[in-house]
mmCIF file of all heavy atoms in Angstrom:
data_model
loop_
_atom_site.group_PDB
_atom_site.id
_atom_site.type_symbol
_atom_site.label_atom_id
_atom_site.label_comp_id
_atom_site.label_asym_id
_atom_site.label_seq_id
_atom_site.Cartn_x
_atom_site.Cartn_y
_atom_site.Cartn_z
ATOM 1 N N LEU A 13 8.677 -0.268 -6.474
ATOM 2 C CA LEU A 13 8.814 -1.056 -7.706
ATOM 3 C C LEU A 13 7.480 -1.560 -8.166
ATOM 4 O O LEU A 13 7.110 -1.553 -9.356
ATOM 5 C CB LEU A 13 9.794 -2.144 -7.591
ATOM 6 C CG LEU A 13 11.264 -1.810 -7.383
ATOM 7 C CD1 LEU A 13 12.124 -2.939 -6.986
ATOM 8 C CD2 LEU A 13 11.837 -1.147 -8.642
ATOM 9 N N LEU A 14 6.680 -2.108 -7.185
ATOM 10 C CA LEU A 14 5.379 -2.599 -7.540
ATOM 11 C C LEU A 14 4.439 -1.502 -8.070
ATOM 12 O O LEU A 14 3.716 -1.644 -9.055
ATOM 13 C CB LEU A 14 4.648 -3.203 -6.261
ATOM 14 C CG LEU A 14 3.216 -3.613 -6.434
ATOM 15 C CD1 LEU A 14 3.143 -4.768 -7.446
ATOM 16 C CD2 LEU A 14 2.670 -4.042 -5.054
ATOM 17 N N GLU A 15 4.536 -0.291 -7.504
ATOM 18 C CA GLU A 15 3.735 0.819 -8.079
ATOM 19 C C GLU A 15 4.031 1.151 -9.431
ATOM 20 O O GLU A 15 3.171 1.461 -10.234
ATOM 21 C CB GLU A 15 3.891 2.078 -7.073
ATOM 22 C CG GLU A 15 3.286 1.832 -5.682
ATOM 23 C CD GLU A 15 3.739 2.793 -4.643
ATOM 24 O OE1 GLU A 15 4.469 3.730 -4.916
ATOM 25 O OE2 GLU A 15 3.349 2.666 -3.451
ATOM 26 N N THR A 16 5.347 1.174 -9.707
ATOM 27 C CA THR A 16 5.779 1.429 -11.016
ATOM 28 C C THR A 16 5.282 0.414 -12.097
ATOM 29 O O THR A 16 4.878 0.734 -13.167
ATOM 30 C CB THR A 16 7.369 1.591 -11.163
ATOM 31 O OG1 THR A 16 7.733 2.604 -10.254
ATOM 32 C CG2 THR A 16 7.889 1.861 -12.544
ATOM 33 N N LYS A 17 5.463 -0.886 -11.656
ATOM 34 C CA LYS A 17 5.063 -1.959 -12.577
ATOM 35 C C LYS A 17 3.520 -1.904 -12.779
ATOM 36 O O LYS A 17 3.030 -2.083 -13.942
ATOM 37 C CB LYS A 17 5.454 -3.356 -11.961
ATOM 38 C CG LYS A 17 6.881 -3.592 -11.755
ATOM 39 C CD LYS A 17 7.516 -4.355 -12.841
ATOM 40 C CE LYS A 17 8.893 -4.752 -12.431
ATOM 41 N NZ LYS A 17 9.602 -5.224 -13.632
ATOM 42 N N ALA A 18 2.740 -1.697 -11.722
ATOM 43 C CA ALA A 18 1.328 -1.649 -11.807
ATOM 44 C C ALA A 18 0.946 -0.518 -12.742
ATOM 45 O O ALA A 18 0.031 -0.784 -13.579
ATOM 46 C CB ALA A 18 0.705 -1.562 -10.470
ATOM 47 N N ALA A 19 1.526 0.617 -12.561
ATOM 48 C CA ALA A 19 1.132 1.757 -13.398
ATOM 49 C C ALA A 19 1.385 1.425 -14.883
ATOM 50 O O ALA A 19 0.621 1.791 -15.714
ATOM 51 C CB ALA A 19 1.960 2.993 -13.003
ATOM 52 N N GLY A 20 2.405 0.676 -15.201
ATOM 53 C CA GLY A 20 2.677 0.241 -16.547
ATOM 54 C C GLY A 20 1.633 -0.637 -17.194
ATOM 55 O O GLY A 20 1.496 -0.806 -18.330
ATOM 56 N N TYR A 21 0.818 -1.293 -16.285
ATOM 57 C CA TYR A 21 -0.288 -2.134 -16.716
ATOM 58 C C TYR A 21 -1.620 -1.266 -16.722
ATOM 59 O O TYR A 21 -2.702 -1.822 -16.844
ATOM 60 C CB TYR A 21 -0.498 -3.312 -15.756
ATOM 61 C CG TYR A 21 0.529 -4.347 -16.071
ATOM 62 C CD1 TYR A 21 1.659 -4.562 -15.299
ATOM 63 C CD2 TYR A 21 0.345 -5.319 -17.102
ATOM 64 C CE1 TYR A 21 2.650 -5.510 -15.549
ATOM 65 C CE2 TYR A 21 1.225 -6.395 -17.387
ATOM 66 C CZ TYR A 21 2.370 -6.421 -16.631
ATOM 67 O OH TYR A 21 3.329 -7.397 -16.827
ATOM 68 N N GLY A 22 -1.529 0.014 -16.538
ATOM 69 C CA GLY A 22 -2.724 0.843 -16.592
ATOM 70 C C GLY A 22 -3.476 0.937 -15.164
ATOM 71 O O GLY A 22 -4.564 1.476 -15.075
ATOM 72 N N VAL A 23 -2.815 0.466 -14.065
ATOM 73 C CA VAL A 23 -3.412 0.465 -12.804
ATOM 74 C C VAL A 23 -3.377 1.913 -12.317
ATOM 75 O O VAL A 23 -2.385 2.573 -12.420
ATOM 76 C CB VAL A 23 -2.677 -0.481 -11.784
ATOM 77 C CG1 VAL A 23 -3.104 -0.314 -10.381
ATOM 78 C CG2 VAL A 23 -2.823 -1.903 -12.258
ATOM 79 N N GLN A 24 -4.551 2.299 -11.769
ATOM 80 C CA GLN A 24 -4.686 3.676 -11.299
ATOM 81 C C GLN A 24 -4.593 3.814 -9.748
ATOM 82 O O GLN A 24 -4.419 4.854 -9.247
ATOM 83 C CB GLN A 24 -6.007 4.240 -11.734
ATOM 84 C CG GLN A 24 -6.108 4.280 -13.305
ATOM 85 C CD GLN A 24 -7.523 4.388 -13.815
ATOM 86 O OE1 GLN A 24 -8.375 3.677 -13.282
ATOM 87 N NE2 GLN A 24 -7.739 5.211 -14.832
ATOM 88 N N ALA A 25 -4.697 2.662 -9.075
ATOM 89 C CA ALA A 25 -4.675 2.704 -7.592
ATOM 90 C C ALA A 25 -4.359 1.279 -7.087
ATOM 91 O O ALA A 25 -4.640 0.264 -7.713
ATOM 92 C CB ALA A 25 -5.966 3.156 -6.970
ATOM 93 N N ILE A 26 -3.696 1.257 -5.952
ATOM 94 C CA ILE A 26 -3.466 -0.076 -5.261
ATOM 95 C C ILE A 26 -4.233 -0.021 -4.009
ATOM 96 O O ILE A 26 -4.179 0.911 -3.259
ATOM 97 C CB ILE A 26 -1.942 -0.197 -4.938
ATOM 98 C CG1 ILE A 26 -1.130 -0.339 -6.333
ATOM 99 C CG2 ILE A 26 -1.710 -1.476 -4.080
ATOM 100 C CD1 ILE A 26 0.341 -0.439 -6.037
ATOM 101 N N ASN A 27 -4.940 -1.129 -3.795
ATOM 102 C CA ASN A 27 -5.850 -1.228 -2.618
ATOM 103 C C ASN A 27 -5.351 -2.402 -1.829
ATOM 104 O O ASN A 27 -4.827 -3.385 -2.359
ATOM 105 C CB ASN A 27 -7.237 -1.515 -3.075
ATOM 106 C CG ASN A 27 -8.198 -1.572 -1.939
ATOM 107 O OD1 ASN A 27 -8.125 -0.744 -0.979
ATOM 108 N ND2 ASN A 27 -9.148 -2.446 -1.970
ATOM 109 N N LEU A 28 -5.346 -2.291 -0.484
ATOM 110 C CA LEU A 28 -4.965 -3.384 0.394
ATOM 111 C C LEU A 28 -5.701 -3.368 1.695
ATOM 112 O O LEU A 28 -6.290 -2.351 2.009
ATOM 113 C CB LEU A 28 -3.424 -3.355 0.693
ATOM 114 C CG LEU A 28 -2.820 -2.139 1.281
ATOM 115 C CD1 LEU A 28 -2.820 -2.264 2.728
ATOM 116 C CD2 LEU A 28 -1.507 -1.759 0.737
ATOM 117 N N ASN A 29 -5.701 -4.447 2.413
ATOM 118 C CA ASN A 29 -6.249 -4.467 3.803
ATOM 119 C C ASN A 29 -5.225 -4.892 4.842
ATOM 120 O O ASN A 29 -4.366 -5.830 4.510
ATOM 121 C CB ASN A 29 -7.377 -5.505 3.793
ATOM 122 C CG ASN A 29 -8.623 -5.074 3.078
ATOM 123 O OD1 ASN A 29 -9.122 -3.972 3.234
ATOM 124 N ND2 ASN A 29 -9.086 -5.857 2.196
ATOM 125 N N THR A 30 -5.213 -4.287 5.910
ATOM 126 C CA THR A 30 -4.315 -4.637 7.041
ATOM 127 C C THR A 30 -5.038 -4.243 8.346
ATOM 128 O O THR A 30 -6.085 -3.607 8.302
ATOM 129 C CB THR A 30 -2.974 -4.057 6.883
ATOM 130 O OG1 THR A 30 -2.003 -4.693 7.825
ATOM 131 C CG2 THR A 30 -2.973 -2.514 7.110
ATOM 132 N N SER A 31 -4.446 -4.576 9.423
ATOM 133 C CA SER A 31 -4.944 -4.276 10.782
ATOM 134 C C SER A 31 -4.288 -3.029 11.290
ATOM 135 O O SER A 31 -2.997 -2.964 11.252
ATOM 136 C CB SER A 31 -4.783 -5.405 11.721
ATOM 137 O OG SER A 31 -5.141 -5.028 13.037
ATOM 138 N N ARG A 32 -4.987 -2.133 11.988
ATOM 139 C CA ARG A 32 -4.409 -1.007 12.577
ATOM 140 C C ARG A 32 -3.387 -1.358 13.658
ATOM 141 O O ARG A 32 -2.577 -0.628 14.098
ATOM 142 C CB ARG A 32 -5.452 -0.085 13.237
ATOM 143 C CG ARG A 32 -6.249 0.685 12.226
ATOM 144 C CD ARG A 32 -7.249 1.603 12.889
ATOM 145 N NE ARG A 32 -8.166 2.250 11.988
ATOM 146 C CZ ARG A 32 -9.339 1.691 11.639
ATOM 147 N NH1 ARG A 32 -9.704 0.550 12.185
ATOM 148 N NH2 ARG A 32 -10.102 2.355 10.805
ATOM 149 N N LYS A 33 -3.571 -2.595 14.242
ATOM 150 C CA LYS A 33 -2.782 -3.015 15.377
ATOM 151 C C LYS A 33 -1.426 -3.558 14.995
ATOM 152 O O LYS A 33 -0.548 -3.868 15.815
ATOM 153 C CB LYS A 33 -3.552 -4.149 16.131
ATOM 154 C CG LYS A 33 -4.796 -3.649 16.742
ATOM 155 C CD LYS A 33 -5.593 -4.769 17.420
ATOM 156 C CE LYS A 33 -6.897 -4.433 17.984
ATOM 157 N NZ LYS A 33 -7.610 -5.494 18.667
ATOM 158 N N LEU A 34 -1.264 -3.798 13.714
ATOM 159 C CA LEU A 34 -0.020 -4.385 13.208
ATOM 160 C C LEU A 34 1.025 -3.352 12.691
ATOM 161 O O LEU A 34 0.624 -2.330 12.219
ATOM 162 C CB LEU A 34 -0.281 -5.366 12.061
ATOM 163 C CG LEU A 34 -1.191 -6.616 12.469
ATOM 164 C CD1 LEU A 34 -1.471 -7.456 11.212
ATOM 165 C CD2 LEU A 34 -0.518 -7.337 13.482
ATOM 166 N N PRO A 35 2.354 -3.696 12.735
ATOM 167 C CA PRO A 35 3.330 -2.785 12.249
ATOM 168 C C PRO A 35 3.137 -2.505 10.697
ATOM 169 O O PRO A 35 3.450 -1.451 10.254
ATOM 170 C CB PRO A 35 4.627 -3.569 12.471
ATOM 171 C CG PRO A 35 4.349 -4.438 13.603
ATOM 172 C CD PRO A 35 2.882 -4.809 13.488
ATOM 173 N N ALA A 36 2.454 -3.410 10.102
ATOM 174 C CA ALA A 36 2.234 -3.220 8.602
ATOM 175 C C ALA A 36 1.416 -1.997 8.370
ATOM 176 O O ALA A 36 1.603 -1.241 7.347
ATOM 177 C CB ALA A 36 1.528 -4.444 7.964
ATOM 178 N N PHE A 37 0.440 -1.640 9.278
ATOM 179 C CA PHE A 37 -0.345 -0.448 9.195
ATOM 180 C C PHE A 37 0.504 0.820 9.006
ATOM 181 O O PHE A 37 0.423 1.608 8.130
ATOM 182 C CB PHE A 37 -1.297 -0.343 10.265
ATOM 183 C CG PHE A 37 -2.150 0.961 10.251
ATOM 184 C CD1 PHE A 37 -3.255 0.966 9.411
ATOM 185 C CD2 PHE A 37 -1.916 1.989 11.070
ATOM 186 C CE1 PHE A 37 -4.055 2.043 9.360
ATOM 187 C CE2 PHE A 37 -2.716 3.162 11.064
ATOM 188 C CZ PHE A 37 -3.793 3.189 10.174
ATOM 189 N N ASN A 38 1.487 0.931 9.877
ATOM 190 C CA ASN A 38 2.377 2.142 9.872
ATOM 191 C C ASN A 38 3.311 2.016 8.681
ATOM 192 O O ASN A 38 3.603 3.085 8.098
ATOM 193 C CB ASN A 38 3.127 2.211 11.168
ATOM 194 C CG ASN A 38 2.261 2.607 12.303
ATOM 195 O OD1 ASN A 38 1.315 3.406 12.146
ATOM 196 N ND2 ASN A 38 2.473 2.070 13.518
ATOM 197 N N PHE A 39 3.763 0.877 8.305
ATOM 198 C CA PHE A 39 4.624 0.715 7.088
ATOM 199 C C PHE A 39 3.808 1.254 5.927
ATOM 200 O O PHE A 39 4.379 2.016 5.081
ATOM 201 C CB PHE A 39 4.907 -0.802 6.914
ATOM 202 C CG PHE A 39 5.472 -1.100 5.525
ATOM 203 C CD1 PHE A 39 6.739 -0.841 5.263
ATOM 204 C CD2 PHE A 39 4.735 -1.674 4.549
ATOM 205 C CE1 PHE A 39 7.293 -1.060 3.965
ATOM 206 C CE2 PHE A 39 5.156 -1.929 3.290
ATOM 207 C CZ PHE A 39 6.499 -1.589 3.020
ATOM 208 N N TYR A 40 2.598 0.869 5.671
ATOM 209 C CA TYR A 40 1.873 1.366 4.506
ATOM 210 C C TYR A 40 1.565 2.838 4.535
ATOM 211 O O TYR A 40 1.767 3.517 3.520
ATOM 212 C CB TYR A 40 0.612 0.449 4.351
ATOM 213 C CG TYR A 40 0.797 -0.885 3.920
ATOM 214 C CD1 TYR A 40 0.358 -1.932 4.701
ATOM 215 C CD2 TYR A 40 1.411 -1.251 2.718
ATOM 216 C CE1 TYR A 40 0.520 -3.342 4.353
ATOM 217 C CE2 TYR A 40 1.616 -2.563 2.318
ATOM 218 C CZ TYR A 40 1.158 -3.528 3.177
ATOM 219 O OH TYR A 40 1.348 -4.871 2.814
ATOM 220 N N LYS A 41 1.273 3.307 5.716
ATOM 221 C CA LYS A 41 1.033 4.748 5.866
ATOM 222 C C LYS A 41 2.314 5.553 5.596
ATOM 223 O O LYS A 41 2.271 6.626 4.841
ATOM 224 C CB LYS A 41 0.624 5.096 7.380
ATOM 225 C CG LYS A 41 -0.705 4.497 7.711
ATOM 226 C CD LYS A 41 -1.964 5.238 7.691
ATOM 227 C CE LYS A 41 -1.898 6.572 8.382
ATOM 228 N NZ LYS A 41 -3.131 7.335 8.254
ATOM 229 N N LYS A 42 3.466 5.010 6.014
ATOM 230 C CA LYS A 42 4.745 5.644 5.746
ATOM 231 C C LYS A 42 4.973 5.649 4.218
ATOM 232 O O LYS A 42 5.669 6.618 3.763
ATOM 233 C CB LYS A 42 5.779 4.875 6.497
ATOM 234 C CG LYS A 42 7.247 5.342 6.190
ATOM 235 C CD LYS A 42 8.292 4.486 6.780
ATOM 236 C CE LYS A 42 8.518 3.321 5.826
ATOM 237 N NZ LYS A 42 9.695 2.547 5.980
ATOM 238 N N ASN A 43 4.449 4.734 3.517
ATOM 239 C CA ASN A 43 4.681 4.629 2.046
ATOM 240 C C ASN A 43 3.602 5.314 1.236
ATOM 241 O O ASN A 43 3.470 5.032 0.062
ATOM 242 C CB ASN A 43 4.895 3.119 1.621
ATOM 243 C CG ASN A 43 6.232 2.678 2.013
ATOM 244 O OD1 ASN A 43 7.222 2.926 1.321
ATOM 245 N ND2 ASN A 43 6.356 1.886 3.058
ATOM 246 N N GLY A 44 2.839 6.143 1.898
ATOM 247 C CA GLY A 44 1.877 6.934 1.212
ATOM 248 C C GLY A 44 0.544 6.444 1.020
ATOM 249 O O GLY A 44 -0.403 7.024 0.304
ATOM 250 N N TYR A 45 0.160 5.327 1.694
ATOM 251 C CA TYR A 45 -1.185 4.753 1.541
ATOM 252 C C TYR A 45 -2.029 5.353 2.716
ATOM 253 O O TYR A 45 -1.701 5.614 3.781
ATOM 254 C CB TYR A 45 -1.112 3.238 1.774
ATOM 255 C CG TYR A 45 -0.546 2.553 0.570
ATOM 256 C CD1 TYR A 45 0.832 2.600 0.288
ATOM 257 C CD2 TYR A 45 -1.297 1.923 -0.368
ATOM 258 C CE1 TYR A 45 1.379 2.085 -0.855
ATOM 259 C CE2 TYR A 45 -0.791 1.385 -1.589
ATOM 260 C CZ TYR A 45 0.563 1.503 -1.819
ATOM 261 O OH TYR A 45 1.104 0.889 -2.889
ATOM 262 N N GLU A 46 -3.224 5.741 2.252
ATOM 263 C CA GLU A 46 -4.187 6.387 3.153
ATOM 264 C C GLU A 46 -5.321 5.463 3.598
ATOM 265 O O GLU A 46 -5.816 4.638 2.798
ATOM 266 C CB GLU A 46 -4.799 7.566 2.433
ATOM 267 C CG GLU A 46 -3.682 8.593 1.992
ATOM 268 C CD GLU A 46 -4.302 9.783 1.252
ATOM 269 O OE1 GLU A 46 -5.563 9.986 1.262
ATOM 270 O OE2 GLU A 46 -3.530 10.545 0.619
#
């Protein structure tokens, strides 16, 4: 939903920071973040 909303504002990319050691890293990778 965030990606859709952001694209509607002309956003071309979403950037974020996390730690490789946290479950969030795999969550974001699973959701297509590189």
Side-chain angles (χ1 to χ4, degrees):
L13 292 168
L14 174 63
E15 291 163 7
T16 300
K17 298 260 189 196
Y21 283 97
V23 171
Q24 298 160 318
I26 295 177
N27 186 42
L28 59 92
N29 290 308
T30 192
S31 171
R32 286 183 190 91
K33 297 178 183 178
L34 297 176
F37 179 76
N38 290 323
F39 165 78
Y40 291 120
K41 299 261 308 179
K42 177 187 85 167
N43 282 284
Y45 288 75
E46 297 178 15

